[in-house]
Amino acid sequence: MTMAFKELLATTCCLAALLAAPAQARTTTPAAGQDQDEAAIGDPVASAKLAADRARIDAPADRDEIIVTGTRIVRPNTQSAAPITTVTTADIAAQGAVTVEDVMNRLPQVQANSEQNYAESDGRQRIKLRNLGYERTLTLLDGLRLGLQNGLDVGVIPTALIERIDVLNGGASSVYGSDAISGVVNFILKKNYDGISLTGNYSFFNHDNRQNAVTEAAGRAFFPVRTGMANDGGRVDVSLTAGKSLFNGDVNVSGFVNYRQSDQVSLDDRTTSACEVSQVVATGVLNCTRSTYTQAGTIVPQSGANAGRTLVNNPDGSGTFVNFNSGPGTATDPFDNLPFQRSFKRINAGGFLSARLSDDIELYSTALFYRDRSFNTLPNRVFSFTAYGSTPFQVNCDNPFLSSSQRTTLCGAQTTGTVPLDVRYRFDGLPPVETRYENQGVRISGGLRGRVLDDAWSYDVAGVFSRNKGTTNYPGFPDFARVNRSLNVVNVNGTPACVARATDPACVPFNAFIPNNNSAAVNNYLFTDVDGTEGNVSQLWQVLAVLSGNLGKYGITSPLADQGVAVAFGSEFRAERFTSTADQQFRQTNGGTDATYRQNVFEVNAEVQVPLIEKRRFTELLQVNGGYRVSKYNRLDGTFNTWKVEGLWAPIADVTFRGSYNKAQRAPTVIEAVQASNINYVTNGSRNDPCASRPDPNSANPNVRLPATASLQQCRLTGLPDSFYNTAAISCPDQLCTIRNGGFGLTPETAYTTTFGVVLRPRFLKGLTISVDRFLINLNDSIGYFSANDFLNGCLTTGLDYYCRGVVRNPGSFTLSSPPAGNPTTGYIAQGTSNGYRSKSHGWDFQGQYTLGLGGAGSLDLSFNGSLMTLAGGQDSPDAVPRNCVGYYGPGCGESLPKWKHGLRTTWTSPDKVINLSVNWRHIAPMTIAYNADASTGIPIDAPQRRRFFTGVDAYDYIDLSTSFDIAKSFTLRISVNNLFDRDPPVIPDSRNLLGLLRNNTMYNYDLLGRQIVAGASVRF
């Protein structure tokens, strides 16, 4: 590479590199005799695992770039004082994962999530370490922020491009910023390609839909159930990567394109979710949720002798009415079309550039782009008039579609004119309606790095620009006026025609009085447009400069140590912006206002590593580390100070004790500020008033009702007079009360994080590395998201003002329902982001790696990762009882975390390293419903809800198999089977009311869709 070219490239690229978004990473070169991989990761177990994976495929480590997670100090033998868990490219390939979410959900340290499946999610994938929320998990890409905290989408990262994922457990705020509280997830990408690689995976679910308690309930509700073997949920993942090294390797340019696609699996495709079930507490009997929106057509007269009766067109087509829920076809599962696995199509593309401009200057840059489109399916329905207001529909008594029996029921002796009625019709023979989501984003990073002053100092100047845009299009309602016009029909020369045909020639007569009317013409006429669009844009600018020095070059070294003191100084600026918008139609339906929130942060930090003693008798290593960061937010007065103190002591080379203590203060992110202050109202995802009586799903008589689920004493706590208790008058329309999102003020939170543990590398058992670490994460004034269930259940069980402020009844009627479009001030349950009092997450992490040579029989690698939770919970307010939700799920706890969870992978490699066989054992400890919690946990006791049936979830064990064949180092074939024995997820009745999640009768922590078969191949040129 000529000097002229280097000077030209350096001159033209410097400005762009400084303004671009950095793929800033902490890099170093290992010293002689130092383990390359241990230097790269800093954790002995993670290092051993990465080394074993590379050895299986004879893959050399990248000796030009070593990325260290958890510090900005550049030195060859950095060791982490906090545990690091690593997921390698071999782990991802063995799983056959299509999304990053799939990969991370297997880690015991991660609270499982499924944004690509969750029916009310916008599809963005985020990571939640422990039980402390997305906003406290800092996500990095090659050492730099991926995007705006809690506004990012890790789906921008194709799984085929991941070299490894480092999960740093515990606080790292003094290094990366005040929001790295529960830990850091650092994605390290494959770069510096030289050649072409084509990788593809195809997977599907092979599941036996077995009979169970849900299918029995579905049978009693006359709902169809799909049993037997199912092969569905196909997923495709294809990546093409190409790169070229130029100028004797001084320059490398590479790029990739990735396409991912997923087919929908609906709730009714699995017998465990054949219908949403609730249980009768006293008997344990399960009942399906039933809807009056039937494919036979539901008619509710609003006048005459039959006023208020819920009738259904006789499914046999005889032109008579029968009672709702009186036989097959007279009631409907309202959630059968909802996705268990969402359909999505995602395109990712990107490029990488590295150029060594001189011995002391390297230019690097990364650019990523993605677009994700997905949708949720919903039943295609004509809505009740109550969805529009209080004015009923009208039908004329001389309507030719009415049989004489139906006319008598609706009109009595009246033969002309119109009568009021309600029509609820479901068009099952037509395509379902869709809520459509589109997420797109770009992330550009770049910088300059190198060494100066006789290699004593390293510098890195970098920048990141990240932008994510999300758009949601909601399906439209049928037009109220058009429904009315289509019901007012007369005979014209023997042909039914709309009375309004003169003023509305497009009007199509609607025969709502026969079963299974699937007229596309009627459907197209009634549905006119979408019910609004909302969107948001999150944007991050980051500029970062780091200077790291080895003061040993200047003689600043402990007299008992070989290495000198190392330091790093950094300065960082971030500009964050979040904009929330919606069109006029959305605002008319849901209320709220558009908003833009901005926040700027300027930070400076310093780190120091001080080896005190090395390679002495009784002390192989004694080292202390420290860090300090000052943060200034433009929206807040004063500054935030975060710091860390760390120590490592190895009395002998086989044993290392390590520990760290971190303090952080975290300001609300711009997204949390939006969630807290921007108010809108919805009924989607709500529940009924637990103080109201409920329709009996097993009775055809609409006047037969079940008692309230909450006690009279509990309902008094919500402000309900005794005379309204257990009445139908306070029942919410369609059993969906109004929810107010937002309306809270936020203050900063403070966190203290402690980790300590031991690492064992016994010389007498070569190849074995084990670590055991304790973590204690304590937050004060914790910022958290409180669902409507949290406020309602908290008020019912404790009566504390902190919870009851979120239950606001209408004066006089005492209902929890108001028209969302009216921006009501009463008649709702609140939810949104608010300050709590204290949150805690305590536990132990266990990791191990063992590599055993088998001589001529190959080699065996065992990798273990387990987590023992001892505390997950806290106090929402000072007068609340502290609670510990470990091993419990339900009110007050959500999904929480099991007490124990682990993964153990065993891999055999043939002597010629052509064949790899892998067995993975995943274990999840049992969990108990929160209603049955012991009083010592502090979980509020709700005696009437204590369960004798479906009291919890048994321990779960999954076995995964994987094999790969590597032929001539240019072609690899992979076959994997996840959940080999096709275990069903646990059945959890009332999962929506208990957990606020999918109406799928289960939790995310389990394999939801059964056995998965994956086939993949890679070709390298």
Side-chain angles (χ1 to χ4, degrees):
M1 188 175 187
T2 65
M3 181 59 67
F5 176 81
K6 291 181 179 180
E7 292 174 351
L8 177 62
L9 191 58
T11 302
T12 56
C13 291
C14 282
L15 181 60
L18 290 172
L19 296 179
Q24 139 86 27
R26 193 52 38 216
T27 62
T28 185
T29 301
Q34 173 70 26
D35 180 7
Q36 167 78 24
D37 297 312
E38 184 169 325
I41 299 180
D43 183 274
V45 178
S47 301
K49 179 180 180 180
L50 183 60
D53 284 354
R54 286 175 170 171
R56 283 201 299 271
I57 58 174
D58 283 334
D62 184 351
R63 295 189 175 274
D64 294 324
E65 181 184 20
I66 301 171
I67 299 174
V68 178
T69 298
T71 183
R72 300 293 190 189
I73 290 177
V74 177
R75 70 187 311 166
N77 58 350
T78 296
Q79 292 190 45
S80 175
I84 298 175
T85 302
T86 290
V87 179
T88 66
T89 186
D91 293 329
I92 297 171
Q95 183 181 348
V98 172
T99 67
V100 170
E101 208 169 47
D102 295 337
V103 177
M104 301 304 296
N105 280 349
R106 289 200 173 181
L107 295 181
Q109 293 80 11
V110 172
Q111 187 163 36
N113 193 42
S114 190
E115 295 291 329
Q116 283 285 359
N117 293 351
Y118 183 31
E120 288 150 21
S121 161
D122 60 10
R124 288 179 300 136
Q125 302 172 55
R126 295 165 291 175
I127 301 169
K128 181 165 42 178
L129 289 178
R130 311 302 178 187
N131 61 321
L132 294 175
Y134 312 109
E135 59 279 351
R136 298 183 188 91
T137 300
L138 182 60
T139 305
L140 307 176
L141 184 64
D142 290 332
L144 280 179
R145 289 174 181 255
L146 179 64
L148 187 63
Q149 189 76 341
N150 207 11
L152 50 81
D153 184 354
V154 295
V156 71
I157 307 169
T159 55
L161 267 289
I162 297 174
E163 177 68 28
R164 74 177 196 268
I165 307 170
D166 290 347
V167 180
L168 177 68
N169 299 294
S173 297
S174 64
V175 177
Y176 293 115
S178 62
D179 38 11
I181 289 175
S182 59
V184 176
V185 179
N186 191 10
F187 292 88
I188 314 300
L189 297 187
K190 300 174 183 177
K191 297 178 285 292
N192 295 325
Y193 277 90
D194 199 349
I196 300 174
S197 174
L198 177 64
T199 299
N201 282 326
Y202 177 76
S203 65
F204 65 94
F205 294 99
N206 171 246
H207 176 64
D208 184 8
N209 276 305
R210 296 172 279 266
Q211 298 282 346
N212 52 55
V214 179
T215 61
E216 293 175 5
R220 291 192 294 271
F222 307 109
F223 291 166
V225 176
R226 300 174 185 176
T227 57
M229 293 302 300
N231 295 294
D232 54 18
R235 286 184 165 192
V236 175
D237 183 2
V238 180
S239 294
L240 176 65
T241 307
K244 181 65 176 177
S245 293
L246 306 169
F247 303 104
N248 296 321
D250 284 340
V251 175
N252 182 271
V253 180
S254 57
F256 73 91
V257 61
N258 170 258
Y259 176 76
R260 284 173 278 179
Q261 176 180 319
S262 175
D263 295 337
Q264 176 165 317
V265 178
S266 299
L267 291 183
D268 65 348
D269 289 325
R270 292 294 180 268
T271 54
T272 54
S273 56
C275 64
E276 180 190 47
V277 293
S278 58
Q279 71 163 310
V280 179
V281 175
T283 64
V285 172
L286 300 185
N287 291 313
C288 291
T289 301
R290 294 162 169 86
S291 171
T292 56
Y293 290 93
T294 63
Q295 58 267 41
T298 300
I299 306 296
V300 185
Q302 299 296 301
S303 65
N306 295 301
R309 286 185 63 193
T310 304
L311 305 172
V312 177
N313 295 314
N314 197 322
D316 66 8
S318 62
T320 59
F321 289 132
V322 297
N323 286 325
F324 167 72
N325 197 33
S326 58
T330 61
T332 308
D333 177 1
F335 309 117
D336 52 354
N337 289 149
L338 266 64
F340 216 148
Q341 172 177 284
R342 281 165 64 166
S343 171
F344 69 81
K345 294 181 179 179
R346 180 181 286 260
I347 297 175
N348 295 66
F352 310 98
L353 168 67
S354 64
R356 189 168 298 280
L357 309 182
S358 70
D359 291 341
D360 298 326
I361 304 176
E362 180 189 357
L363 167 71
Y364 61 94
S365 184
T366 299
L368 301 175
F369 164 83
Y370 83 100
R371 187 194 69 198
D372 175 75
R373 289 175 175 169
S374 63
F375 59 85
N376 283 332
T377 50
L378 299 167
N380 190 330
R381 298 172 291 179
V382 171
F383 287 94
S384 165
F385 73 82
T386 58
Y388 307 92
S390 59
T391 303
F393 297 126
Q394 300 284 326
V395 67
N396 55 309
C397 290
D398 56 348
N399 189 310
F401 291 138
L402 288 172
S403 69
S404 58
S405 172
Q406 291 170 326
R407 184 177 293 109
T408 300
T409 301
L410 292 174
C411 301
Q414 184 178 337
T415 58
T416 60
T418 62
V419 293
L421 82 167
D422 196 10
V423 177
R424 306 170 189 176
Y425 211 102
R426 176 166 159 167
F427 300 100
D428 271 8
L430 299 176
V433 298
E434 297 172 350
T435 302
R436 293 193 164 271
Y437 305 91
E438 178 171 298
N439 293 288
Q440 54 182 293
V442 61
R443 182 187 183 276
I444 305 171
S445 65
L448 296 171
R449 63 188 171 210
R451 293 178 178 273
V452 293
L453 301 178
D454 195 27
D455 289 345
W457 294 88
S458 300
Y459 66 89
D460 201 331
V461 181
V464 174
F465 171 72
S466 175
R467 184 179 188 271
N468 288 274
K469 179 181 179 182
T471 304
T472 303
N473 293 289
Y474 294 94
F477 276 29
D479 183 88
F480 179 84
R482 291 193 175 201
V483 174
N484 257 334
R485 290 196 292 270
S486 69
L487 289 172
N488 194 0
V489 179
V490 294
N491 259 327
V492 178
N493 299 323
T495 301
C498 296
V499 172
R501 63 191 180 280
T503 55
D504 182 7
C507 181
V508 179
F510 175 25
N511 187 353
F513 308 101
I514 59 171
N516 304 308
N517 183 345
N518 292 307
S519 169
V522 169
N523 196 252
N524 291 335
Y525 171 70
L526 298 180
F527 286 82
T528 57
D529 53 23
V530 300
D531 186 36
T533 299
E534 66 170 337
N536 60 75
V537 177
S538 61
Q539 184 171 294
L540 168 71
W541 285 92
Q542 180 188 21
V543 179
L544 176 68
V546 177
L547 182 66
S548 174
N550 179 9
L551 302 186
K553 293 275 189 176
Y554 307 105
I556 304 178
T557 304
S558 165
L560 301 178
D562 297 332
Q563 299 180 97
V565 174
V567 295
F569 305 98
S571 179
E572 180 175 348
F573 174 78
R574 297 193 304 276
E576 304 171 347
R577 185 176 72 179
F578 182 83
T579 301
S580 174
T581 60
D583 62 12
Q584 183 179 3
Q585 180 64 47
F586 180 88
R587 294 298 181 211
Q588 287 177 355
T589 304
N590 301 283
T593 57
D594 293 355
T596 296
Y597 292 80
R598 294 180 175 86
Q599 178 171 270
N600 297 331
V601 188
F602 178 73
E603 299 178 301
V604 294
N605 76 295
E607 276 189 272
V608 61
Q609 292 180 359
V610 184
L612 299 175
I613 304 174
E614 290 183 287
K615 299 178 181 178
R616 304 284 174 165
R617 190 177 183 184
F618 303 121
T619 300
E620 181 71 18
L621 172 67
L622 178 62
Q623 178 174 305
V624 295
N625 306 329
Y628 194 83
R629 176 178 289 256
V630 179
S631 305
K632 171 60 181 172
Y633 288 78
N634 68 313
R635 295 191 301 111
L636 302 173
D637 295 331
T639 59
F640 287 175
N641 303 306
T642 63
W643 44 260
K644 71 172 182 177
V645 178
E646 300 177 335
L648 297 113
W649 176 47
I652 56 176
D654 307 54
V655 180
T656 301
F657 297 97
R658 59 188 179 184
S660 67
Y661 185 56
N662 296 260
K663 182 253 185 177
Q665 283 184 293
R666 190 180 73 87
T669 67
V670 288
I671 294 179
E672 287 173 323
V674 172
Q675 292 174 337
S677 60
N678 194 20
I679 298 175
N680 63 74
Y681 299 84
V682 297
T683 58
N684 186 33
S686 187
R687 59 178 289 188
N688 198 18
D689 189 334
C691 300
S693 62
R694 302 164 291 143
D696 185 349
N698 294 311
S699 174
N701 186 343
N703 295 317
V704 176
R705 302 182 69 85
L706 296 175
T709 58
S711 69
L712 174 60
Q713 179 60 39
Q714 288 176 324
C715 292
R716 287 171 179 163
L717 301 176
T718 71
L720 185 73
D722 290 3
S723 59
F724 284 82
Y725 175 70
N726 199 34
T727 64
I730 61 170
S731 185
C732 296
D734 294 324
Q735 301 187 62
L736 297 174
C737 296
T738 302
I739 291 177
R740 187 199 74 181
N741 287 304
F744 300 96
L746 294 181
T747 58
E749 67 180 15
T750 303
Y752 295 91
T753 302
T754 304
T755 65
F756 56 87
V758 61
V759 180
L760 304 176
R761 290 177 285 187
R763 280 170 284 188
F764 60 84
L765 198 56
K766 186 178 180 181
L768 176 65
T769 307
I770 298 172
S771 66
V772 179
D773 292 274
R774 175 72 160 158
F775 63 88
L776 305 165
I777 304 173
N778 300 314
L779 290 111
N780 298 326
D781 300 319
S782 54
I783 301 170
Y785 185 81
F786 292 83
S787 70
N789 272 339
D790 293 330
F791 282 112
L792 185 55
N793 292 329
C795 183
L796 291 170
T797 55
T798 70
L800 295 175
D801 288 342
Y802 182 84
Y803 302 108
C804 293
R805 62 179 172 145
V807 183
V808 185
R809 295 188 177 275
N810 280 315
S813 67
F814 297 97
T815 60
L816 291 172
S817 178
S818 297
N823 289 322
T825 56
T826 60
Y828 61 78
I829 310 168
Q831 74 178 10
T833 301
S834 176
N835 280 99
Y837 181 54
R838 289 175 178 165
S839 294
K840 297 184 177 184
S841 183
H842 297 175
W844 294 86
D845 281 334
F846 300 83
Q847 295 189 75
Q849 176 69 33
Y850 184 44
T851 299
L852 177 64
L854 302 178
S859 63
L860 201 64
D861 292 303
L862 291 89
S863 180
F864 179 83
N865 180 21
S867 188
L868 175 69
M869 292 295 299
T870 58
L871 176 59
Q875 288 176 268
D876 290 333
S877 68
D879 48 0
V881 176
R883 67 180 181 274
N884 182 3
C885 287
V886 170
Y888 293 96
Y889 64 88
C893 294
E895 283 206 53
S896 190
L897 292 168
K899 191 173 186 65
W900 173 258
K901 183 178 180 180
H902 78 241
L904 172 62
R905 182 175 292 278
T906 303
T907 303
W908 173 79
T909 304
S910 64
D912 55 6
K913 300 184 179 180
V914 171
I915 303 173
N916 284 292
L917 297 175
S918 176
V919 179
N920 186 43
W921 170 32
R922 293 178 282 140
H923 176 81
I924 304 170
M927 298 189 72
T928 303
I929 195 166
Y931 290 129
N932 292 12
D934 187 90
S936 63
T937 64
I939 299 172
I941 301 299
D942 189 357
Q945 289 294 324
R946 189 169 183 86
R947 304 298 167 92
R948 294 188 299 118
F949 307 93
F950 298 97
T951 59
V953 178
D954 292 335
Y956 261 66
D957 292 282
Y958 294 106
I959 300 296
D960 311 315
L961 298 180
S962 177
T963 183
S964 67
F965 304 88
D966 193 358
I967 303 171
K969 303 300 179 184
S970 60
F971 177 77
T972 302
L973 176 66
R974 298 176 299 275
I975 299 175
S976 301
V977 181
N978 299 312
N979 188 3
L980 176 66
F981 298 110
D982 192 27
R983 289 208 64 180
D984 285 325
V987 172
I988 301 175
D990 304 288
S991 64
R992 181 68 183 196
N993 290 343
L994 291 175
L995 305 171
L997 298 177
L998 277 172
R999 302 181 185 274
N1000 60 1
N1001 309 319
T1002 193
M1003 293 189 294
Y1004 286 138
N1005 209 19
Y1006 304 88
D1007 286 18
L1008 303 182
L1009 297 174
R1011 181 191 299 115
Q1012 185 185 42
I1013 299 174
V1014 186
S1018 299
V1019 181
R1020 296 170 291 277
F1021 304 97

PDB file of all heavy atoms in Angstrom, residues 387-402:
ATOM      1  N   ALA A 387     -69.856  -0.356  20.185  1.00  0.00           N
ATOM      2  CA  ALA A 387     -68.492   0.075  19.860  1.00  0.00           C
ATOM      3  C   ALA A 387     -68.470   1.493  19.314  1.00  0.00           C
ATOM      4  O   ALA A 387     -67.417   2.128  19.268  1.00  0.00           O
ATOM      5  CB  ALA A 387     -67.866  -0.884  18.851  1.00  0.00           C
ATOM      6  N   TYR A 388     -69.636   2.002  18.891  1.00  0.00           N
ATOM      7  CA  TYR A 388     -69.718   3.334  18.298  1.00  0.00           C
ATOM      8  C   TYR A 388     -70.403   4.343  19.222  1.00  0.00           C
ATOM      9  O   TYR A 388     -70.216   5.541  19.084  1.00  0.00           O
ATOM     10  CB  TYR A 388     -70.510   3.279  16.983  1.00  0.00           C
ATOM     11  CG  TYR A 388     -69.996   2.259  15.995  1.00  0.00           C
ATOM     12  CD1 TYR A 388     -70.498   0.964  15.973  1.00  0.00           C
ATOM     13  CD2 TYR A 388     -69.007   2.595  15.074  1.00  0.00           C
ATOM     14  CE1 TYR A 388     -70.037   0.031  15.063  1.00  0.00           C
ATOM     15  CE2 TYR A 388     -68.535   1.660  14.157  1.00  0.00           C
ATOM     16  CZ  TYR A 388     -69.057   0.376  14.169  1.00  0.00           C
ATOM     17  OH  TYR A 388     -68.588  -0.546  13.263  1.00  0.00           O
ATOM     18  N   GLY A 389     -71.222   3.842  20.130  1.00  0.00           N
ATOM     19  CA  GLY A 389     -71.992   4.729  20.996  1.00  0.00           C
ATOM     20  C   GLY A 389     -73.178   3.986  21.576  1.00  0.00           C
ATOM     21  O   GLY A 389     -73.135   2.784  21.809  1.00  0.00           O
ATOM     22  N   SER A 390     -74.280   4.710  21.765  1.00  0.00           N
ATOM     23  CA  SER A 390     -75.468   4.119  22.391  1.00  0.00           C
ATOM     24  C   SER A 390     -76.639   3.962  21.437  1.00  0.00           C
ATOM     25  O   SER A 390     -77.697   3.492  21.841  1.00  0.00           O
ATOM     26  CB  SER A 390     -75.899   4.991  23.583  1.00  0.00           C
ATOM     27  OG  SER A 390     -76.181   6.326  23.159  1.00  0.00           O
ATOM     28  N   THR A 391     -76.478   4.359  20.165  1.00  0.00           N
ATOM     29  CA  THR A 391     -77.570   4.267  19.195  1.00  0.00           C
ATOM     30  C   THR A 391     -77.545   2.906  18.509  1.00  0.00           C
ATOM     31  O   THR A 391     -76.557   2.558  17.848  1.00  0.00           O
ATOM     32  CB  THR A 391     -77.451   5.375  18.138  1.00  0.00           C
ATOM     33  OG1 THR A 391     -77.445   6.647  18.789  1.00  0.00           O
ATOM     34  CG2 THR A 391     -78.624   5.307  17.154  1.00  0.00           C
ATOM     35  N   PRO A 392     -78.646   2.126  18.647  1.00  0.00           N
ATOM     36  CA  PRO A 392     -78.638   0.798  18.026  1.00  0.00           C
ATOM     37  C   PRO A 392     -78.734   0.867  16.506  1.00  0.00           C
ATOM     38  O   PRO A 392     -79.070   1.899  15.917  1.00  0.00           O
ATOM     39  CB  PRO A 392     -79.895   0.142  18.622  1.00  0.00           C
ATOM     40  CG  PRO A 392     -80.304   0.984  19.778  1.00  0.00           C
ATOM     41  CD  PRO A 392     -79.839   2.376  19.458  1.00  0.00           C
ATOM     42  N   PHE A 393     -78.418  -0.267  15.876  1.00  0.00           N
ATOM     43  CA  PHE A 393     -78.707  -0.426  14.455  1.00  0.00           C
ATOM     44  C   PHE A 393     -80.229  -0.509  14.277  1.00  0.00           C
ATOM     45  O   PHE A 393     -80.981  -0.729  15.232  1.00  0.00           O
ATOM     46  CB  PHE A 393     -78.060  -1.695  13.906  1.00  0.00           C
ATOM     47  CG  PHE A 393     -76.556  -1.704  13.978  1.00  0.00           C
ATOM     48  CD1 PHE A 393     -75.880  -2.756  14.607  1.00  0.00           C
ATOM     49  CD2 PHE A 393     -75.805  -0.687  13.415  1.00  0.00           C
ATOM     50  CE1 PHE A 393     -74.500  -2.778  14.671  1.00  0.00           C
ATOM     51  CE2 PHE A 393     -74.420  -0.702  13.474  1.00  0.00           C
ATOM     52  CZ  PHE A 393     -73.760  -1.747  14.106  1.00  0.00           C
ATOM     53  N   GLN A 394     -80.683  -0.359  13.022  1.00  0.00           N
ATOM     54  CA  GLN A 394     -82.090  -0.463  12.691  1.00  0.00           C
ATOM     55  C   GLN A 394     -82.270  -1.447  11.536  1.00  0.00           C
ATOM     56  O   GLN A 394     -81.455  -1.482  10.611  1.00  0.00           O
ATOM     57  CB  GLN A 394     -82.645   0.910  12.258  1.00  0.00           C
ATOM     58  CG  GLN A 394     -82.544   2.005  13.316  1.00  0.00           C
ATOM     59  CD  GLN A 394     -83.581   1.857  14.397  1.00  0.00           C
ATOM     60  OE1 GLN A 394     -84.705   1.405  14.147  1.00  0.00           O
ATOM     61  NE2 GLN A 394     -83.221   2.221  15.631  1.00  0.00           N
ATOM     62  N   VAL A 395     -83.344  -2.251  11.616  1.00  0.00           N
ATOM     63  CA  VAL A 395     -83.696  -3.136  10.514  1.00  0.00           C
ATOM     64  C   VAL A 395     -85.174  -2.932  10.203  1.00  0.00           C
ATOM     65  O   VAL A 395     -85.995  -2.721  11.105  1.00  0.00           O
ATOM     66  CB  VAL A 395     -83.417  -4.617  10.858  1.00  0.00           C
ATOM     67  CG1 VAL A 395     -84.329  -5.116  11.964  1.00  0.00           C
ATOM     68  CG2 VAL A 395     -83.549  -5.502   9.616  1.00  0.00           C
ATOM     69  N   ASN A 396     -85.521  -2.939   8.925  1.00  0.00           N
ATOM     70  CA  ASN A 396     -86.923  -2.758   8.543  1.00  0.00           C
ATOM     71  C   ASN A 396     -87.664  -4.085   8.643  1.00  0.00           C
ATOM     72  O   ASN A 396     -87.143  -5.147   8.309  1.00  0.00           O
ATOM     73  CB  ASN A 396     -87.023  -2.190   7.127  1.00  0.00           C
ATOM     74  CG  ASN A 396     -86.288  -3.024   6.096  1.00  0.00           C
ATOM     75  OD1 ASN A 396     -85.122  -3.345   6.280  1.00  0.00           O
ATOM     76  ND2 ASN A 396     -86.975  -3.367   4.998  1.00  0.00           N
ATOM     77  N   CYS A 397     -88.901  -4.021   9.104  1.00  0.00           N
ATOM     78  CA  CYS A 397     -89.668  -5.239   9.369  1.00  0.00           C
ATOM     79  C   CYS A 397     -90.118  -5.936   8.089  1.00  0.00           C
ATOM     80  O   CYS A 397     -90.518  -7.115   8.145  1.00  0.00           O
ATOM     81  CB  CYS A 397     -90.885  -4.907  10.243  1.00  0.00           C
ATOM     82  SG  CYS A 397     -90.437  -4.459  11.943  1.00  0.00           S
ATOM     83  N   ASP A 398     -90.076  -5.242   6.957  1.00  0.00           N
ATOM     84  CA  ASP A 398     -90.409  -5.902   5.695  1.00  0.00           C
ATOM     85  C   ASP A 398     -89.145  -6.331   4.940  1.00  0.00           C
ATOM     86  O   ASP A 398     -89.174  -6.523   3.723  1.00  0.00           O
ATOM     87  CB  ASP A 398     -91.292  -5.004   4.826  1.00  0.00           C
ATOM     88  CG  ASP A 398     -90.666  -3.638   4.555  1.00  0.00           C
ATOM     89  OD1 ASP A 398     -89.666  -3.313   5.228  1.00  0.00           O
ATOM     90  OD2 ASP A 398     -91.181  -2.893   3.686  1.00  0.00           O
ATOM     91  N   ASN A 399     -88.040  -6.483   5.679  1.00  0.00           N
ATOM     92  CA  ASN A 399     -86.779  -6.916   5.074  1.00  0.00           C
ATOM     93  C   ASN A 399     -86.949  -8.324   4.503  1.00  0.00           C
ATOM     94  O   ASN A 399     -87.347  -9.247   5.226  1.00  0.00           O
ATOM     95  CB  ASN A 399     -85.677  -6.887   6.146  1.00  0.00           C
ATOM     96  CG  ASN A 399     -84.285  -7.098   5.598  1.00  0.00           C
ATOM     97  OD1 ASN A 399     -84.045  -8.031   4.850  1.00  0.00           O
ATOM     98  ND2 ASN A 399     -83.360  -6.226   5.991  1.00  0.00           N
ATOM     99  N   PRO A 400     -86.673  -8.525   3.208  1.00  0.00           N
ATOM    100  CA  PRO A 400     -86.885  -9.847   2.602  1.00  0.00           C
ATOM    101  C   PRO A 400     -85.957 -10.925   3.153  1.00  0.00           C
ATOM    102  O   PRO A 400     -86.199 -12.114   2.945  1.00  0.00           O
ATOM    103  CB  PRO A 400     -86.622  -9.591   1.112  1.00  0.00           C
ATOM    104  CG  PRO A 400     -85.740  -8.385   1.085  1.00  0.00           C
ATOM    105  CD  PRO A 400     -86.173  -7.527   2.235  1.00  0.00           C
ATOM    106  N   PHE A 401     -84.890 -10.529   3.829  1.00  0.00           N
ATOM    107  CA  PHE A 401     -83.982 -11.530   4.392  1.00  0.00           C
ATOM    108  C   PHE A 401     -84.542 -12.170   5.663  1.00  0.00           C
ATOM    109  O   PHE A 401     -84.046 -13.201   6.116  1.00  0.00           O
ATOM    110  CB  PHE A 401     -82.625 -10.902   4.714  1.00  0.00           C
ATOM    111  CG  PHE A 401     -81.835 -10.498   3.503  1.00  0.00           C
ATOM    112  CD1 PHE A 401     -81.141  -9.291   3.483  1.00  0.00           C
ATOM    113  CD2 PHE A 401     -81.789 -11.306   2.375  1.00  0.00           C
ATOM    114  CE1 PHE A 401     -80.400  -8.918   2.374  1.00  0.00           C
ATOM    115  CE2 PHE A 401     -81.038 -10.929   1.259  1.00  0.00           C
ATOM    116  CZ  PHE A 401     -80.347  -9.728   1.259  1.00  0.00           C
ATOM    117  N   LEU A 402     -85.558 -11.565   6.283  1.00  0.00           N
ATOM    118  CA  LEU A 402     -86.137 -12.080   7.507  1.00  0.00           C
ATOM    119  C   LEU A 402     -87.143 -13.188   7.195  1.00  0.00           C
ATOM    120  O   LEU A 402     -88.033 -13.026   6.346  1.00  0.00           O
ATOM    121  CB  LEU A 402     -86.853 -10.967   8.282  1.00  0.00           C
ATOM    122  CG  LEU A 402     -85.977  -9.912   8.977  1.00  0.00           C
ATOM    123  CD1 LEU A 402     -86.853  -8.785   9.515  1.00  0.00           C
ATOM    124  CD2 LEU A 402     -85.172 -10.540  10.094  1.00  0.00           C
TER     125      LEU A 402
END
